[in-house]
């Protein structure tokens, strides 16, 4: 065998050098979008973290579309469109991919997971979700069914805030499911606010902010530091928050 590794399936993303765009237009004015240059993904898991509005979903969606997923999410065979707010970012992205194509793929958008579930019901795809309509489950249950039965491994999976529906206990189960997928030759790119998911060790964390994109360690994320501080000192922190004079 050569030293060439199949993973990461998606190695790197940049903005094409010859791309023409207006820096004042959405999404090009976002500091994180301007910082997309040789962004190198971890072979196992790459996390996008950052404040609401920092551009995580915009970048994840553009990568997904450039890879051939529908903007609404789902597998690559899902072909329907209800979103009319897709940014043009995908058209200027340059993706560096592995010589080996992933055998499976999924793009999860928290906002449109239920639209995709409706489509899956209509198309008779229930078997691959454990044989029960996703609508007959809670959001969290539906998502766990996706993670445990639909994603088959050897795949490239893009997940936008997968924790949205999950109890802390299910987030731990999701962490274990992610590890199973990684061990089964998968690569994941996950936008998340979850301090539990972010703890996954075989990972790289990209923090999106007004300064662009920088790689950070788990313990240096605000998610870790703030959650830990709050839980350790919640009585004092609550007092500070709730007693503060509104300005
Ligand atoms: N279609 C759009 N047109 C203009 N601005 C948008 C559009 N979609 C998102 N935005 C803005 O771009 C910024 C980044 O959004 P988003 O990528 O969803 O952030 P995040 O996922 O990090 O919370 C936000 O300020 C958002 O309001
Ligand atoms: Mg988002």
């Amino acid at each position: 065998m050569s030293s060439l590794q199949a993973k990461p399936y998606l190695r790197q993303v940049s903005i094409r050098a010859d791309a023409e765009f207006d820096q004042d237009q959405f999404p090009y004015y976002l500091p994180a979008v301007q910082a997309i240059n040789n962004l190198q993904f971890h072979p196992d898991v790459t996390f996008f973290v950052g404040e609401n509005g920092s551009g995580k979903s915009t970048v994840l969606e553009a990568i997904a579309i450039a890879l051939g997923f529908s903007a609404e999410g789902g597998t690559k065979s899902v072909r329907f469109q209800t979103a009319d707010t897709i940014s043009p970012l995908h058209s200027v992205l340059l993706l560096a991919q592995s010589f080996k194509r992933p055998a499976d793929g999924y793009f999860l958008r928290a906002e449109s997971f239920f639209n995709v579930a409706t489509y899956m019901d209509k198309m008779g795809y229930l078997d691959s979700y454990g044989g029960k309509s996703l609508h007959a489950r809670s959001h969290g249950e539906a998502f766990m069914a996706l993670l445990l039965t639909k994603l088959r491994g050897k795949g490239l999976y893009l997940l936008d805030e997968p924790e949205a529906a999950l109890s802390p206990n299910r987030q731990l189960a999701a962490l274990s499911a992610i590890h199973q997928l990684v061990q089964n030759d998968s690569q994941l790119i996950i936008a998340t606010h979850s301090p539990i998911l972010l703890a996954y060790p075989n990972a790289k964390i990209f923090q999106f902010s007004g300064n662009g994109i920088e790689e950070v360690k788990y313990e240096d994320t605000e998610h870790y530091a703030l959650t830990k501080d709050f839980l350790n000192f919640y009585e004092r922190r609550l007092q500070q928050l709730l007693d503060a004079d509104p300005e």
Side-chain angles (χ1 to χ4, degrees):
M1 279 296 287
S2 76
S3 62
L4 267 182
Q5 298 292 315
K7 284 207 305 176
Y9 299 113
L10 179 59
R11 298 179 183 285
Q12 174 175 306
V13 59
S14 313
I15 304 233
R16 285 207 322 266
D18 63 350
E20 288 180 21
F21 50 82
D22 183 347
Q23 298 259 3
D24 298 328
Q25 288 284 315
F26 172 78
Y28 305 106
Y29 62 73
L30 293 172
V33 168
Q34 291 176 1
I36 299 177
N37 186 31
N38 302 334
L39 207 57
Q40 297 193 347
F41 297 98
H42 191 284
D44 298 335
V45 178
T46 303
F47 290 111
F48 291 171
V49 301
E51 209 34 80
N52 300 117
S54 58
K56 304 178 298 296
S57 296
T58 302
V59 172
L60 196 65
E61 174 190 281
I63 293 171
I65 296 172
L67 285 166
F69 291 99
S70 150
E72 282 289 332
T75 61
K76 286 196 185 176
S77 58
V78 169
R79 281 281 155 254
F80 75 104
Q81 203 72 57
T82 57
D84 52 5
T85 54
I86 301 159
S87 92
L89 182 58
H90 59 93
S91 61
V92 301
L93 289 186
L94 183 65
L95 305 184
Q97 298 185 66
S98 171
F99 63 91
K100 179 146 179 144
R101 293 294 144 129
D104 192 29
Y106 203 93
F107 172 36
L108 174 96
R109 290 181 60 138
E111 316 101 84
S112 58
F113 185 47
F114 267 80
N115 296 342
V116 174
T118 303
Y119 175 90
M120 291 294 171
D121 276 8
K122 275 201 225 138
M123 302 297 277
Y125 284 162
L126 292 182
D127 279 356
S128 52
Y129 286 91
K132 185 175 164 190
S133 166
L134 292 176
H135 285 293
R137 306 170 191 249
S138 78
H139 188 184
E141 289 168 341
F143 177 68
M144 285 311 290
L146 170 84
L147 210 50
L148 296 172
T149 63
K150 174 71 181 167
L151 309 186
R152 293 168 294 141
K154 303 194 189 325
L156 173 55
Y157 305 113
L158 311 185
L159 312 177
D160 196 353
E161 295 190 30
E163 74 276 11
L166 302 177
S167 70
N169 193 35
R170 285 272 169 83
Q171 290 185 43
L172 296 177
L175 206 46
S176 153
I178 287 166
H179 187 53
Q180 295 296 315
L181 287 168
V182 162
Q183 288 188 315
N184 193 6
D185 289 334
S186 299
Q187 179 188 2
L188 298 96
I189 302 172
I190 306 175
T192 186
H193 294 297
S194 165
I196 293 178
L197 293 187
L198 280 175
Y200 188 68
N202 311 326
K204 192 177 208 181
I205 302 175
F206 284 131
Q207 178 158 286
F208 287 42
S209 74
N211 296 326
I213 302 178
E214 58 186 337
E215 191 179 343
V216 292
K217 289 202 318 223
Y218 175 55
E219 292 84 355
D220 292 333
T221 61
E222 189 179 63
H223 309 66
Y224 172 86
L226 201 149
T227 308
K228 185 178 164 126
D229 173 83
F230 183 78
L231 292 178
N232 280 338
F233 306 108
Y234 74 93
E235 284 167 322
R236 198 186 319 159
R237 294 294 175 252
L238 275 176
Q239 202 173 24
Q240 289 165 337
L241 276 170
L242 306 184
D243 291 352
D245 267 339
E247 298 262 350

